[in-house]
Amino acid sequence: MRGYLVAGNWKMNGSAASIDALMTGIIAGAPVSSGVEVLVCPPFPYLSSVAAHVAGSSVALGAQNVSQYKSGAFTGETAASMLRDVGCKYVIVGHSERRALLGETSEIVAEKFQAVLDVSLQPILCVGETLAQRESGQTQLVIDEQLGTVLSSSGVDAFANAVIAYEPVWAIGTGMTASPEQAQDVHRYIRAILEAASETVAAGVKILYGGSVKGDNASGLFSKPDIDGGLIGGASLKSADFLAIAAAAATLS
Ligand code: PEP
């Protein structure tokens, strides 16, 4: 089966000392279960030190962003090949903070998604609607646009090596989690879009839920048939909180 992925997105948080302590805790308590993969996505400057922590463990390393360009005169950017060099397995693309605050369009996200695949890493494509969009009945339209742009540029087979994260913007960092039923409805819709193009790819792709996931709501969310784990922000910054979420996945796997 698909198994669970529990991914921590640390955003722009931490210091060398705090990340060292966080990783010591995560490595000590990460579930040893073939049905759950634990992933941490630190800020760029700490990728190498976190790579040293995860070496020899089952915890995977990922990045929070990537350039859509391969190399060259792009000051301040980081190429996918560099992320592979330092040991990343996954790269988050299209997080709502980057779309809303840093001007990333779905076209740019699609280029980043392909850039990650081109170096044989796995993109985690984030999609999700704002509160205004949900309240005006546009959730499916938003998913159509955000997922459809990537689907039409990279093709459905690309999703054999990719992960999708449904992150309703209104639930990110707000404490307002989508109910398991609300999340499942959108996850089913996302999988159905892929099913229309390839049933095999749709059956294999992991679709994570993100938005105020905590130890006490993870189990309800992860027990839904189309929810294959979580992309965790705030609760990934404390090892006990993050491990409680990973443990919920391990219990269900
Ligand atoms: C996120 O930013 O990806 C996220 C899900 O954040 P939080 O868990 O804090 O809502």
Side-chain angles (χ1 to χ4, degrees), residues 9 11 95 97 167 171-174 210-213 231-235:
N9 171 18
K11 310 192 185 187
H95 192 280
E97 287 154 12
E167 298 211 305
I172 295 180
T174 59
S212 299
V213 179
L231 182 54
I232 321 298

Side-chain angles (χ1 to χ4, degrees), residues 14-29:
S15 63
S18 72
I19 285 174
D20 209 42
L22 177 57
M23 279 315 299
T24 302
I26 290 174
I27 295 294

Side-chain angles (χ1 to χ4, degrees), residues 181-244:
E181 293 70 28
Q182 282 175 318
Q184 166 61 23
D185 281 353
V186 182
H187 281 233
R188 177 90 288 280
Y189 182 71
I190 290 170
R191 204 178 300 283
I193 292 175
L194 296 175
E195 261 161 20
S198 165
E199 287 188 12
T200 314
V201 171
V205 71
K206 286 190 177 77
I207 307 176
L208 313 183
Y209 169 78
S212 299
V213 179
K214 307 269 182 275
D216 59 4
N217 60 22
S219 190
L221 289 157
F222 297 172
S223 58
K224 291 294 179 190
D226 290 295
I227 302 183
D228 308 305
L231 182 54
I232 321 298
S236 69
L237 295 170
K238 287 193 182 147
S239 59
D241 295 350
F242 186 54
L243 290 171

